[in-house]
Amino acid sequence: MKHSLSFLIIITLLFAGCRQKAQSNFQSESSVQTEESNPSLEEYAEEAVITGKVLNRDFYPQEKELTLIIPFFRDMGNQYRSPIQKDGSFSFRFPVYAKLREVSIRNYAEHLYIHPGDSIHIEIDFKDLFHPKVTGDAEKLNQEILAFTESAYYYIQNYNMKPESDVKDFEAELKKDYNFRLERRNEYLVKYKPMEDVVLFTEELLKQDYYYALLFNGMSYLFKTRKEMDRYHTLLPEINKLYTKGILSARLYDVADEAERYIAYGIAFRDKKNPSIEEIMAAMGESEMNQYLYTKLIAGSLCTNDTLAFHEKRTQFDSIVIMSHLRAQVMQIYNQTKSYLKNPQPVSDNLLYGEFHENSKHTTRMPYMKPVYDVLEKNRGKVIYFDFWARWCPPCLAEMEPLKQLRSKFSTDDLIIYSICVSEPKEQWEECLNEYSLRNRGIECVHVTDYLGIDNYQKIRKQWKIDRMPYYILINRQGQIIDFGTAARPSNPQLVSRIEEAVKRRE
């Protein structure tokens, strides 16, 4: 199969309107991760250790584990899981690969900051979720940043340009507010006299927010006028300086995302074609940000359960991406994807039966998954393919013909296809069945309200990470999920090959 990274740009351009919510497909089940050895990863490679204890655990008895998130691009954040022990303790160990890095413990400590080699302890009180207590090496660091972010010296506000607004008026308003934030930061510096790292961090945080807002609303203007604003290109060298400080925050990835989208859409509107990654990087100029853009595209292919594109582009990746933290996160996603493709059972068990750990000896069934379990039981020994789609999603409708072609390739004794429409009103689903001649095709065409029920579907959507449309689940004869996501679509030759392999395997 031929792979092209420019295809991922096309996916971005065409599928943006079908996106709902982003989250990584792959989640590590161990607190200790392995990385492929590479000399460039030595800088800041010393591990950090986070230990902690949960207090008043009986307040949320259903919480069995905590998830540490290393910020990365949307959909791709690296995750580390740690079970909460009987005494309430938990621990994480991970390489930092930066001078200063932001991480988060999902739902309980959204903003933590750590250096390579730091060892910190976090006390999380389930009765007081807004005030986790940090002690240890980075105690002062976190206290000083917290004083800035939660003491009225800093606030986050997303600026959305009104349809009737002039872009120059918006930029003037944004600049005015940025200057106000700088004044508030100066007051903070005088009062708290923070350490050098915090001085630099607070300065960079305000710049990141400013440029993100500028690019985000520049995109709004671009969509409205279909005109590129050349003056934004002159800002790229300044924006690129954000990536040279050795301080990694979640916002940095948002800025890179918006810069890529701004340039990609600008080229598409101007040249009436989808730009390649090379064209986008050329427009960006010689910059560190190009390493982020190339990393995003490589990681994106891996998150669609595809390692071949990375193998084909490995030489280019090695020559373009030299930043330690980017290489490390790509290799982590690669190792997770490779592990899943080799042994899908752990991920499959998690998706089908809920949370689990490496040492667990049983799985817990979830009542809302009963319709899925019924399908597995009814079609035991067959390959099962779920297609979740919506009437409002053009890429979903584009897969209708390939879906019928896929159905014709395999016997119903071997492959069962469920086409599940999740959009309303239900009458539009009926119209689609007629418009695309889906009736009497050997395809189980069902509406989500009849098959799953809206409440159950919302829970299944969360469990299966259904964050965009279309979305697919492929289950082999042994009841394992062997492929999932938006790329496992009928028109994808790789998907067809996986089904062929699954059909042949009868053991």
Side-chain angles (χ1 to χ4, degrees):
M1 173 183 177
K2 182 178 180 181
H3 296 272
S4 171
L5 286 177
S6 62
F7 169 76
L8 295 172
I9 296 296
I10 297 173
I11 292 294
T12 301
L13 291 170
L14 293 181
F15 294 4
C18 297
R19 183 175 184 157
Q20 299 171 335
K21 182 181 177 184
Q23 190 171 351
S24 173
N25 279 343
F26 294 99
Q27 301 178 333
S28 308
E29 306 308 327
S30 169
S31 294
V32 180
Q33 306 301 316
T34 58
E35 309 289 352
E36 181 173 290
S37 177
N38 189 294
S40 70
L41 300 184
E42 295 304 317
E43 184 185 18
Y44 300 128
E46 190 175 0
E47 288 186 328
V49 176
I50 296 179
T51 60
K53 189 165 187 177
V54 174
L55 305 179
N56 294 307
R57 189 178 177 186
D58 56 343
F59 203 72
Y60 291 112
Q62 73 278 10
E63 289 290 349
K64 306 298 183 184
E65 67 180 10
L66 296 178
T67 301
L68 178 78
I69 300 175
I70 308 296
F72 200 45
F73 291 105
R74 214 171 297 160
D75 296 344
M76 308 175 199
N78 292 151
Q79 302 184 11
Y80 298 71
R81 288 178 173 177
S82 173
I84 303 175
Q85 304 297 337
K86 290 183 178 180
D87 63 355
S89 63
F90 61 88
S91 65
F92 301 98
R93 180 185 297 271
F94 57 97
V96 177
Y97 295 121
K99 178 181 178 182
L100 173 63
R101 180 159 216 159
E102 177 184 359
V103 300
S104 66
I105 297 178
R106 179 183 290 157
N107 298 329
Y108 302 115
E110 293 295 336
H111 303 281
L112 295 171
Y113 302 91
I114 199 162
H115 301 102
D118 277 352
S119 178
I120 65 174
H121 184 85
I122 303 175
E123 187 178 276
I124 297 173
D125 189 341
F126 276 3
K127 285 188 177 181
D128 184 17
L129 297 180
F130 296 105
H131 301 95
K133 297 179 181 179
V134 179
T135 56
D137 295 335
E139 177 180 357
K140 189 171 186 292
L141 170 71
N142 281 274
Q143 286 177 345
E144 290 182 350
I145 293 179
L146 187 66
F148 178 68
T149 58
E150 294 193 5
S151 300
Y153 293 102
Y154 169 78
Y155 62 96
I156 297 175
Q157 178 179 343
N158 290 325
Y159 290 89
N160 295 313
M161 188 172 66
K162 299 178 181 179
E164 67 276 8
S165 297
D166 180 83
V167 66
K168 292 183 179 179
D169 292 339
F170 167 76
E171 290 174 0
E173 178 188 348
L174 180 63
K175 189 67 174 179
K176 179 181 178 181
D177 183 80
Y178 175 62
N179 289 332
F180 172 74
R181 296 188 186 202
L182 288 177
E183 292 176 4
R184 295 292 293 157
R185 172 180 173 270
N186 288 335
E187 294 173 12
Y188 162 80
L189 296 179
V190 171
K191 181 177 180 179
Y192 287 91
K193 297 179 175 55
M195 66 175 67
E196 183 179 344
D197 279 352
V198 177
V199 172
L200 179 59
F201 172 80
T202 55
E203 178 184 8
E204 292 302 301
L205 182 61
L206 295 186
K207 289 180 182 178
Q208 292 165 19
D209 287 346
Y210 172 75
Y211 285 122
Y212 175 78
L214 197 65
L215 290 168
F216 181 85
N217 288 278
M219 279 296 302
S220 299
Y221 183 81
L222 187 62
F223 269 110
K224 183 172 70 173
T225 64
R226 296 297 193 266
K227 294 179 180 178
E228 221 176 349
M229 292 178 286
D230 290 338
R231 66 180 179 280
Y232 280 18
H233 284 270
T234 64
L235 294 175
L236 292 177
E238 288 300 314
I239 296 175
N240 184 65
K241 291 179 182 178
L242 300 175
Y243 298 87
T244 64
K245 306 297 184 179
I247 294 180
L248 296 180
S249 67
R251 184 60 101 185
L252 272 182
Y253 297 97
D254 296 336
V255 174
D257 264 334
E258 290 305 317
E260 180 208 19
R261 291 178 67 237
Y262 176 76
I263 291 175
Y265 278 104
I267 295 174
F269 291 146
R270 183 191 65 204
D271 299 342
K272 311 299 182 186
K273 70 181 185 69
N274 294 311
S276 67
I277 179 60
E278 290 78 15
E279 289 175 305
I280 295 174
M281 291 172 63
M284 193 74 71
E286 292 293 330
S287 68
E288 281 76 10
M289 206 175 347
N290 276 339
Q291 296 185 50
Y292 278 72
L293 302 189
Y294 205 83
T295 294
K296 177 186 174 183
L297 295 178
I298 289 289
S301 68
L302 292 172
C303 285
T304 61
N305 304 338
D306 175 16
T307 59
L308 297 180
F310 181 43
H311 292 160
E312 293 176 359
K313 297 294 184 180
R314 182 60 190 267
T315 300
Q316 293 95 315
F317 173 77
D318 288 342
S319 64
I320 294 171
V321 181
I322 61 175
M323 290 183 177
S324 300
H325 65 282
L326 296 177
R327 295 184 61 85
Q329 288 187 275
V330 165
M331 294 314 305
Q332 181 169 338
I333 296 173
Y334 169 74
N335 288 332
Q336 291 167 350
T337 305
K338 186 171 65 172
S339 174
Y340 168 67
L341 294 175
K342 182 178 180 180
N343 177 24
Q345 192 69 56
V347 174
S348 177
D349 285 347
N350 176 245
L351 293 174
L352 288 173
Y353 304 110
E355 305 298 343
F356 71 101
H357 302 290
E358 289 179 330
N359 298 324
S360 65
K361 297 181 180 179
H362 64 278
T363 56
T364 302
R365 293 202 166 197
M366 298 165 285
Y368 60 84
M369 291 284 284
K370 186 179 185 303
V372 176
Y373 300 147
D374 289 344
V375 168
L376 293 175
E377 184 63 31
K378 177 182 176 181
N379 299 285
R380 184 183 296 271
K382 296 181 180 180
V383 178
I384 303 170
Y385 184 59
F386 288 103
D387 168 14
F388 291 88
W389 62 280
R391 178 68 179 86
W392 44 258
C393 168
C396 299
L397 303 182
E399 292 296 324
M400 294 304 180
E401 288 302 320
L403 182 68
K404 291 188 291 186
Q405 294 171 14
L406 179 68
R407 172 69 283 169
S408 66
K409 291 178 183 292
F410 301 95
S411 165
T412 54
D413 293 331
D414 293 319
L415 175 66
I416 299 296
I417 297 178
Y418 278 81
S419 172
I420 305 171
C421 178
V422 302
S423 60
E424 297 188 84
K426 188 176 176 180
E427 289 74 19
Q428 291 185 354
W429 165 66
E430 296 277 1
E431 293 172 2
C432 279
L433 296 185
N434 295 328
E435 181 180 352
Y436 292 95
S437 303
L438 292 174
R439 300 182 191 274
N440 303 315
R441 294 274 185 173
I443 299 172
E444 296 285 343
C445 297
V446 296
H447 193 268
V448 67
T449 54
D450 299 326
Y451 176 56
L452 299 173
I454 294 299
D455 290 343
N456 284 345
Y457 168 66
Q458 292 302 330
K459 294 175 182 177
I460 291 173
R461 186 176 70 83
K462 181 179 179 181
Q463 175 63 19
W464 280 1
K465 316 288 188 293
I466 301 178
D467 49 32
R468 62 186 68 191
M469 292 285 128
Y471 198 90
Y472 306 92
I473 298 280
L474 178 63
I475 302 176
N476 65 13
R477 294 183 187 273
Q478 292 72 42
Q480 295 176 328
I481 294 178
I482 57 173
D483 207 350
F484 62 98
T486 190
R489 56 189 59 199
S491 62
N492 186 340
Q494 188 174 349
L495 181 276
V496 177
S497 297
R498 298 211 75 186
I499 293 179
E500 290 175 345
E501 293 173 4
V503 166
K504 290 178 182 177
R505 184 183 174 190
R506 295 182 176 274
E507 296 180 359

